[in-house]
Amino acid sequence: MRKNEAGSQTTGAAKPPAHQSVYEQLRDLILFGELAPGQAVTIQGLAERLGAGMTPVREAIRRMTSNGALSMQGNRRVIVPELTENCIEQLDFMRKMLEPELARRAAERMTSACIEDLKSCDDALNTAISQGDIKGYLTHNYRFHACLYAAADAPVLMATTDRLWLRFGPSLRVVCGRFGTANLPDKHVELLEALAKGDPEAASRALGEDVEQGMLQIRAALTDTAPAQ
């Protein structure tokens, strides 16, 4: 327990500003598909859903719009953009350029503690898959990748990648809805093995294959075609 400048006692870490908390809540709604692609919502409706005032909600919307995660419409409405084939192609290209490189850099800096954190994320992910828990799957899959990329110590690449996830993340819920969590392949086992061996190139290769599979699933779900095996 400590005293602030006015002499009163405070405990724990400082509470984040209200606008940051609202931004993070809105970000999670988009990232994990709680706001579906093509679903228009009013600004007032978002404020009520988030239990927040209009000012911080508008600021959060402004930030999400600048990242391409939301689009403004008339009548004070916003919408999560639907992915077009052209957009999927660009996201596929950018992810294959950035995420394998982040995995390679992470492997070069990997620690045993970070590997344990990644295994914990992957265990939670596998539990969600076995239980058909879509929200859990989306949450732990993102956390696995975010944990890995944070280890790369490449903030510019990571920030860019995080914006890409805001663009395709909502569509992963569509994928889960069509194929189910049990039919969502990943390369996390191969990736963890490469990290444990300290093999940057194998880690990069496994992550590239993970991206490839994920984007194939998204394209298949949005175009009503079966993904290639």
Side-chain angles (χ1 to χ4, degrees):
M1 186 174 291
R2 62 183 184 278
K3 291 186 177 182
N4 60 24
E5 292 180 356
S8 61
Q9 292 181 329
T10 61
T11 58
K15 186 177 180 180
H19 66 84
Q20 181 63 26
S21 176
V22 172
Y23 168 77
E24 291 173 359
Q25 290 180 69
L26 179 58
R27 183 179 181 278
D28 285 353
L29 287 178
I30 296 170
L31 186 61
F32 302 131
E34 296 291 330
L35 295 179
Q39 175 187 355
V41 293
T42 64
I43 298 175
Q44 179 64 43
L46 278 179
E48 293 173 357
R49 183 168 184 172
L50 298 172
M54 294 294 285
T55 298
V57 169
R58 285 194 180 99
E59 173 60 18
I61 289 172
R62 183 194 65 77
R63 293 173 66 181
M64 286 292 105
T65 301
S66 69
N67 286 329
L70 284 176
S71 295
M72 293 296 301
Q73 292 194 316
N75 300 321
R76 299 180 181 178
R77 291 175 178 268
V78 293
I79 191 171
V80 176
E82 295 182 272
L83 292 183
T84 64
E85 178 61 32
N86 183 41
C87 188
I88 293 174
E89 181 183 355
Q90 293 177 66
L91 287 168
D92 187 42
F93 174 79
M94 289 293 291
R95 291 192 68 199
K96 288 176 180 176
M97 291 290 291
L98 297 178
E99 294 183 56
E101 175 62 15
L102 282 167
R104 185 185 68 78
R105 293 183 182 222
E108 294 174 343
R109 297 162 174 79
M110 190 52 53
T111 64
S112 57
C114 188
I115 290 178
E116 288 306 309
D117 287 342
L118 288 167
K119 287 181 178 178
S120 178
C121 287
D122 200 48
D123 287 344
L125 171 62
N126 290 332
T127 297
I129 290 174
S130 67
Q131 296 176 348
D133 179 2
I134 293 177
K135 184 175 181 179
Y137 168 82
L138 296 172
T139 300
H140 294 301
N141 184 57
Y142 173 77
R143 288 177 177 167
F144 179 92
H145 285 264
C147 181
L148 175 68
Y149 301 158
D153 192 25
V156 175
L157 297 181
M158 185 174 176
T160 302
T161 298
D162 208 49
R163 286 195 292 273
L164 296 178
W165 274 68
L166 281 169
R167 298 296 297 272
F168 72 82
S171 295
L172 289 178
R173 183 172 283 270
V174 179
V175 172
C176 292
R178 178 170 182 202
F179 301 117
T181 56
N183 296 307
L184 299 175
D186 65 54
K187 288 292 191 176
H188 293 180
V189 172
E190 292 89 337
L191 178 56
L192 287 168
E193 290 175 351
L195 294 174
K197 294 176 181 177
D199 189 338
E201 298 310 315
S204 177
R205 187 164 53 251
L207 201 287
E209 293 173 358
D210 189 72
V211 169
E212 173 75 16
Q213 290 181 344
M215 295 308 294
L216 283 173
Q217 292 277 10
I218 288 175
R219 180 177 278 107
L222 299 183
T223 59
D224 198 31
T225 59
Q229 299 297 320

